[in-house]
Amino acid sequence: MELCVALDLPSKEKNIELAQKLREYPLWLKVGLRSFIRDGKEFIKELKSLGEFKIFLDLKLYDIPNTMADAAEEIAKMGVEMFNVHASAGKEAMSGVMQRLQLVPKRPLVLAVTALTSFDEKQFRTIYNDTIEHKVKQFAKEAYEARLDGVVCSAFESSLIKQITNTDFLTLAPGIRPFGESGDDQKRVADLQLAKQNQVDIVVVGRPIYQASDPKAAVEKILTKL
Ligand code: C5P
């Protein structure tokens, strides 16, 4: 398993300060909508200059196929190692992204978001007219058939997704509380042991690291258990 640290602090300076503390570790850093909208490409460049970090740009693209492929091409030019799209944008849009990325020399990994964890079953049904479990399976299959590299999913769904796709199909799971810490606003949290049992490839951890009194020690402790 690999560790991805969510840079969810409220300012660029605070995110950079955290990354500086963690510069000696081979980590993924997750840059989300808020910091990318505020701090843009320069922020990505600055992070890369700090250490051997791999960047996961968590922008969850959702648009018509041509616009998604255009955006994917621009993301690839930034030199990030991974980004994501919504599986509900459809198989055609996902395939279009992967086809366009064949044109770039070193393409990033592409993951599909299956179901947003903020939905409960009732809210989910209003939009998708289906159960979360059934739809997650369908989205994962479609992402696999569209030749994406993997999906964003909960640790609980990871092994099922690998069973219906391929063991090499990557799973990235947020909602991780490494050693059973408080779940904060996350509803279904898993610890590292459960993530490992479920064959998760990359665990995303935010608050248990950046709210720790010693984030570096927190990362070190997690890395020994991956
Ligand atoms: O602080 P915490 O470890 O809960 O942060 C998890 C990160 O993963 C946050 O950036 C959150 O937005 C993101 N995320 C999530 N659930 C998803 C997708 C992304 O918690 N389904």
Side-chain angles (χ1 to χ4, degrees), residues 6-8 30 58 60 113 115-118 152 174-177 183-186 204-208 210:
L7 294 182
D8 287 337
K30 183 171 91 68
D58 179 20
K60 302 185 181 71
V113 175
L116 293 176
T117 44
S118 51
V152 180
I176 302 293
R177 290 297 172 265
D184 302 299
D185 60 344
Q186 298 277 19
V204 179
V205 184
R207 284 163 287 186
Y210 66 74

Side-chain angles (χ1 to χ4, degrees), residues 93-171:
M94 289 192 281
S95 294
V97 163
M98 299 317 284
Q99 272 166 27
R100 183 71 68 86
L101 289 178
Q102 282 178 359
L103 308 175
V104 304
K106 201 169 157 254
R107 78 160 176 87
L109 296 171
V110 187
L111 303 182
V113 175
T114 51
L116 293 176
T117 44
S118 51
F119 288 137
D120 61 22
E121 286 289 345
K122 199 171 156 222
Q123 291 167 323
F124 191 84
R125 187 171 281 281
T126 323
I127 303 170
Y128 297 102
N129 197 25
D130 205 344
T131 63
I132 295 177
E133 192 189 323
H134 188 250
K135 207 70 188 170
V136 163
K137 283 201 246 173
Q138 182 201 322
F139 282 152
K141 269 194 188 153
E142 286 176 357
Y144 179 67
E145 286 161 11
R147 299 185 174 275
L148 269 72
D149 301 288
V151 287
V152 180
C153 64
S154 100
F156 299 91
E157 292 148 1
S158 171
S159 47
L160 173 66
I161 287 171
K162 284 179 184 272
Q163 271 170 38
I164 60 170
T165 58
N166 191 302
T167 47
D168 294 341
F169 193 56
L170 299 174
T171 57

